[in-house]
Structure formats: C-alpha cells, structure tokens
Amino acid sequence: EVQLVESGGGLVQPGGSLRLSCAASGFAFTSYAMSWVRQAPGKGLEWVSSLSGGGGSAYFADSVKGRFTISRDNSKNTVYLQMNSLRVEDTAVYYCAKDPYSAGTASHFDYWGQGTLVAVSS
Amino acid sequence: DIQVTQSPSSLSASVGDRVTITCRASQSISTYLNWYQQKSGKAPKLLIYAASSLQSGVPSRFSGSGSGTDFTLTISSLEPEDFATYHCQQSFSTPRTFGQGTKVEIK
C-alpha cells in the first residue's frame, strides 16, 4: 500500500523558513517523481514543485521560484521542500503527491499524503 | 500557462441523480486532463486520468470524456459518499494547473 506522510508544518513569521518532509513507503521510491501541491484556506489546489525520480530535474511554480527548493534522499525514501523567505500568501496545507512516472514533467498525481499546514503570520 | 475553468462552481443534487461537471482548457490539451475528488478536510484522490481512464479502485459510476479543450466528469448515479469537491487538472504542460473546484452538495 502506498503511503505518504508529511511533517514539518507549523507557524512561521513572514520572511522565515521551514522545511517540509514527506516519508514514502509501499512503492519503488527512486522510480517515481515526487511533487508538492498546496491549498490555501478555502481555495483550490496549486502545484508547487516536482522532482524527478533520480533527483536531477526539478520544476517550480513561478510563485515560489527562487524561494523554495526541492530535494530527495532516496536512501530514506523521503522528499523535502525547503521554503525560504516565506510570505503570508504561502499559508496553505501542503500535500506531498506521487507522480506515476519518473520524469517530473507534467502528469497527474496518483497518490497523495494527508497534508501539513503551513501558516505564515506575524 | 494553461488556464483551466470548471463549471459549475457548486451544485446541489440528490442521491441517485446523474451529475455532470465540465472543465474547459484555455488551449488544446489533447486528453491530458485528470479529475480528483476531495472530501472535507481530506487529501484529494485521483478518480480519472487521461480524460477517461478510471483509476484502480474507483467505482464505475464515475466516468470521464472529452478531448481538446472540453471535458466532462459524470457520476451516473450519485451515492451519499460522493458529496465532495471535484477538481480537474491539466497535465499537458508545466505548470500543472487545476480548475477552481466544483462542490457537490446534498439537495
């Protein structure tokens, strides 16, 4: 059974940093790209970032480019989202999601974690 | 970026009703269109990918159709557990973009 468990969310001040983690199990982790998708309170879904299975190709939404980085530790079956220079508008539930392919380019998301809340406020 | 527009934004329906939700892309995306179900406070769940392929384990009352710019999600006979928000998403190009969601409520 595929399981994705996010952690690392919390309350942070504007301009601060936070690192989210997503621990994966139940599938061949290195064979699949991993993504982060967020949902602001009462709003729709927004793709944030994706990373290829091998970790060599990363993709970012314009809204986070230059502030967020994505990485993975294939020995720990974990993907990370490092969020710097956080803004109030980054407040959202952040979901980790699995891609059905390795590339990390546009595809659907076939499994999702339960999400972790990031609140940016002074 | 490809814009994806869903309609309606909400609807009220009864158990047993046939429900149709539409999604329109701002340019042709072939069949690179996916549908998700999200229940309140929960993560989205993939229902349909590539416009019409049913994800494993999803009941057959869910179906998808369309190509190019216009797509449809149909629930043939609404069950109590189907009351939720439905999202479409294009996977033709990066950035992957979502519709704004359609909330299906109990009439």
Side-chain angles (χ1 to χ4, degrees):
Chain A
E1 179 193 6
V2 172
Q3 288 199 324
L4 302 172
V5 180
E6 301 96 334
S7 60
L11 176 64
V12 62
Q13 292 188 334
S17 297
L18 213 54
R19 188 178 83 155
L20 306 183
S21 300
C22 171
S25 61
F27 62 99
F29 186 68
T30 58
S31 295
Y32 298 96
M34 297 296 294
S35 297
W36 290 93
V37 178
R38 69 184 181 184
Q39 186 170 36
K43 301 297 183 181
L45 299 166
E46 180 189 16
W47 169 78
V48 173
S49 181
S50 297
L51 182 63
S52 61
S57 298
Y59 306 87
F60 297 93
D62 286 346
S63 58
V64 306
K65 202 171 292 183
R67 300 187 298 123
F68 290 12
T69 59
I70 188 171
S71 61
R72 62 194 295 161
D73 184 338
N74 286 343
S75 69
K76 295 182 178 179
N77 284 7
T78 299
V79 61
Y80 305 97
L81 185 69
Q82 177 67 45
M83 304 184 294
N84 299 330
S85 302
L86 282 161
R87 304 168 179 168
V88 171
E89 55 265 33
D90 294 319
T91 294
V93 174
Y94 284 73
Y95 294 101
C96 170
K98 173 186 167 294
D99 283 19
Y101 314 113
S102 175
T105 51
S107 75
H108 55 281
F109 308 99
D110 56 0
Y111 293 95
W112 298 64
Q114 84 287 352
T116 187
L117 177 63
V118 172
V120 184
S121 174
S122 54
Chain B
D1 297 0
I2 296 174
Q3 310 304 315
V4 179
T5 304
Q6 267 181 258
S7 61
S9 56
S10 65
L11 64 91
S12 296
S14 301
V15 172
D17 284 353
R18 181 181 182 88
V19 169
T20 298
I21 299 168
T22 63
C23 189
R24 175 165 288 177
S26 60
Q27 66 182 72
S28 178
I29 58 171
S30 184
T31 57
Y32 292 95
L33 194 285
N34 315 296
W35 292 97
Y36 303 86
Q37 177 192 65
Q38 185 178 29
K39 296 184 180 179
S40 181
K42 301 295 186 183
K45 171 189 170 185
L46 178 66
L47 297 176
I48 302 281
Y49 62 96
S52 60
S53 295
L54 197 66
Q55 174 70 348
S56 177
V58 174
S60 59
R61 63 181 179 272
F62 292 94
S63 64
S65 64
S67 66
T69 61
D70 294 317
F71 302 86
T72 299
L73 173 70
T74 300
I75 309 172
S76 59
S77 179
L78 204 61
E79 295 288 339
E81 60 267 31
D82 300 337
F83 291 96
T85 297
Y86 294 84
H87 306 270
C88 60
Q89 174 243 331
Q90 66 82 18
S91 51
F92 182 81
S93 65
T94 299
R96 312 180 207 187
T97 46
F98 292 85
Q100 76 276 21
T102 295
K103 186 172 185 179
V104 176
E105 299 176 301
I106 301 173
K107 183 183 285 184

